[in-house]
Amino acid sequence: MKTIYILLFLLFMTFQAYATPQNTTCKKCHPVIFQEYQHSMHRKASIYQDPIHKAVWDKHPAKKKNNYKCAKCHTPSDHALLEGKNKLTDNFIQENEPISCQLCHTIKSIEKHATANKNIITTKAKYFFSADTAHKGEKVIFHEQSSLFGLIKKTVGSPYHDIDYSNENFYNGKMCMGCHSHKENAKGFAVCDMEVKQGGSKKSCISCHMPQVKGSLANQKESQTHAFHGISIHNGTPKLLSQYVKLSFKQTAKGFTVSIKNEANHTLFPQPLRLNQLRVSIERDGNTLTLPPRNFIRIIGTEGKPSTPWLATEVLKDTTIKAHETRHVTFNTTLQKGDTVLIEFGYLLVNPKTAKKLHLDTPSATEFTVLTHQTVVVE
């Protein structure tokens, strides 16, 4: 019997060391948001949930010694791994909440660095930051209030955490920049840079990627809307972002021009694996003429040849559409009256050529996702 108790104790301690669930507490009060989170990229950021990240990790030379260095952004909620106490291993956190709700809501500030920015986490226990313009500047500390000589008592705030609405980073979107700004490899080369340019725009990462949608924020406090937490343009939410990419069409004597206006505050899309495409087809007399797609891509490499991100030292090609840029694409195909021109602008998560080199056979990785589209009938 004593041996059984010892084994159970060791099992419990191992579970605590490798995986301490955090989101299960959030679920009690925020069921709508919790369900959205299940479909988000934050929920699927580890190699055990993201086949693309796994394919890249499988090729990385550091895998031989299981020297995983991506935890800062891909699995920061696995504290034992992040702190170097454990090696990368399959556990509850990796499978279910590699980037937990608590992680993002405890980001106090962002420390800027050339290699990559760093999230500075608050040291205050059960102290969360959030954004709400109606309560901006307020700090809601859980406490009990009484009236009528103590006969009537009520509580203020959440018994699970305090809420600080004064952190400006949660209003301007800079709290996302610890992981979504830029990344240099060991050679000092920027393998990815979102090239964020605010300009005169009032939009931010949060207002675009986490817009207000219908549904109550919490059980205890009914509300009409809440910030969307299913953060992923890849899982049915491109419609939320299509408003920031505008298409326009102009017929010319020799063909036509499609203009793509990027109203986002960042480049479309600078990630090393992405392939952005403009696809155009013409319907005429019951037949469809599909024109060659126009690619927008950033290819990195070394010594004039494409390479993996960790070996790259130079940009070989960059046709990505920058923040607030309008790109004009000319097609020398003569149109006729009655033609229907179908225009689609979107992306592939992974360039098919790269997917082949990574031995990545996940269909969704190379499927074309339409970000926005337009149909024009020639008069």
Side-chain angles (χ1 to χ4, degrees):
M1 182 63 72
K2 182 178 180 181
T3 302
I4 294 176
Y5 282 132
I6 292 175
L7 289 174
L8 289 174
F9 174 76
L10 290 175
L11 179 62
F12 173 78
M13 292 305 294
T14 300
F15 178 79
Q16 290 298 311
Y18 282 84
T20 304
Q22 297 179 329
N23 286 352
T24 49
T25 303
C26 306
K27 180 181 179 180
K28 298 175 183 178
C29 301
H30 306 279
V32 174
I33 289 177
F34 181 80
Q35 286 303 316
E36 290 175 349
Y37 170 84
Q38 300 307 304
H39 302 285
S40 71
M41 285 305 296
H42 283 177
R43 158 72 168 73
K44 303 175 182 180
S46 76
I47 66 167
Y48 303 102
Q49 291 292 331
D50 183 357
I52 298 174
H53 184 38
K54 182 181 184 302
V56 174
W57 171 238
D58 286 344
K59 289 289 185 180
H60 201 289
K63 186 184 178 182
K64 293 181 179 179
K65 295 183 179 181
N66 197 15
N67 190 21
Y68 186 73
K69 295 296 184 181
C70 306
K72 181 180 80 73
C73 287
H74 278 269
T75 62
S77 295
D78 192 339
H79 301 297
L81 173 64
L82 188 65
E83 295 166 7
K85 296 177 182 179
N86 291 326
K87 292 288 188 178
L88 177 65
T89 185
D90 194 0
N91 59 44
F92 183 90
I93 296 295
Q94 293 286 337
E95 291 279 2
N96 296 277
E97 50 184 60
I99 306 173
S100 69
C101 304
Q102 288 92 325
L103 189 284
C104 289
H105 282 283
T106 54
I107 297 175
K108 180 181 179 181
S109 60
I110 303 300
E111 194 174 272
K112 295 184 178 180
H113 296 277
T115 301
N117 293 341
K118 181 181 179 180
N119 293 322
I120 304 301
I121 306 299
T122 181
T123 56
K124 296 181 180 179
K126 298 181 179 180
Y127 194 86
F128 289 3
F129 300 101
S130 189
D132 187 337
T133 54
H135 298 281
K136 190 173 183 179
E138 298 179 11
K139 297 179 181 180
V140 182
I141 310 300
F142 178 71
H143 64 282
E144 187 178 81
Q145 289 182 340
S146 61
S147 58
L148 290 178
F149 306 100
L151 295 176
I152 299 177
K153 296 182 179 181
K154 69 174 183 178
T155 58
V156 176
S158 169
Y160 297 100
H161 57 79
D162 297 329
I163 308 174
D164 187 340
Y165 292 112
S166 66
N167 192 331
E168 188 63 30
N169 293 310
F170 280 72
Y171 293 89
N172 58 27
K174 290 184 179 179
M175 55 84 63
C176 304
M177 293 295 99
C179 289
H180 295 282
S181 174
H182 63 279
K183 176 71 172 70
E184 288 185 353
N185 60 17
K187 300 178 181 297
F189 174 73
V191 297
C192 180
D193 190 342
M194 295 302 290
E195 298 181 288
V196 175
K197 295 179 181 179
Q198 192 66 34
S201 174
K202 295 182 179 180
K203 299 294 182 180
S204 70
C205 307
I206 295 174
S207 63
C208 294
H209 293 268
M210 301 180 67
Q212 290 292 313
V213 294
K214 293 181 179 180
S216 183
L217 170 67
N219 289 338
Q220 300 93 328
K221 185 179 180 181
E222 290 293 327
S223 62
Q224 295 297 315
T225 63
H226 65 278
F228 179 67
H229 282 65
I231 313 163
S232 173
I233 64 172
H234 318 311
N235 295 326
T237 56
K239 293 181 180 178
L240 294 175
L241 302 176
S242 63
Q243 59 184 306
Y244 304 108
V245 180
K246 299 292 193 303
L247 298 177
S248 59
F249 171 90
K250 182 179 180 180
Q251 187 175 1
T252 63
K254 295 182 179 181
F256 59 95
T257 298
V258 175
S259 297
I260 308 165
K261 185 179 182 181
N262 176 18
E263 294 186 352
N265 295 336
H266 59 77
T267 299
L268 302 175
F269 294 94
Q271 295 89 341
L273 304 183
R274 297 286 188 273
L275 174 59
N276 213 181
Q277 281 191 337
L278 174 66
R279 296 187 176 186
V280 177
S281 61
I282 302 170
E283 294 183 352
R284 178 186 298 164
D285 299 328
N287 298 313
T288 300
L289 172 63
T290 301
L291 303 181
R294 300 297 179 89
N295 296 331
F296 308 92
I297 191 171
R298 183 174 183 264
I299 301 176
I300 58 177
T302 184
E303 297 181 353
K305 296 181 179 180
S307 71
T308 54
W310 50 89
L311 295 176
T313 57
E314 59 184 335
V315 177
L316 303 180
K317 181 180 181 180
D318 188 356
T319 58
T320 55
I321 304 175
K322 308 303 180 181
H324 311 300
E325 177 190 353
T326 299
R327 184 73 59 86
H328 304 290
V329 184
T330 301
F331 293 86
N332 294 320
T333 301
T334 304
L335 298 174
Q336 298 179 11
K337 183 178 181 181
D339 285 351
T340 299
V341 183
L342 305 175
I343 306 169
E344 293 180 321
F345 180 76
Y347 64 92
L348 292 80
L349 285 172
V350 182
N351 187 327
K353 293 181 180 179
T354 305
K356 187 176 182 179
K357 293 179 180 179
L358 292 173
H359 303 293
L360 180 64
D361 56 5
T362 304
S364 60
T366 52
E367 287 179 354
F368 180 65
T369 298
V370 179
L371 191 58
T372 187
H373 60 89
Q374 184 178 6
T375 301
V376 178
V377 177
V378 180
E379 298 179 351

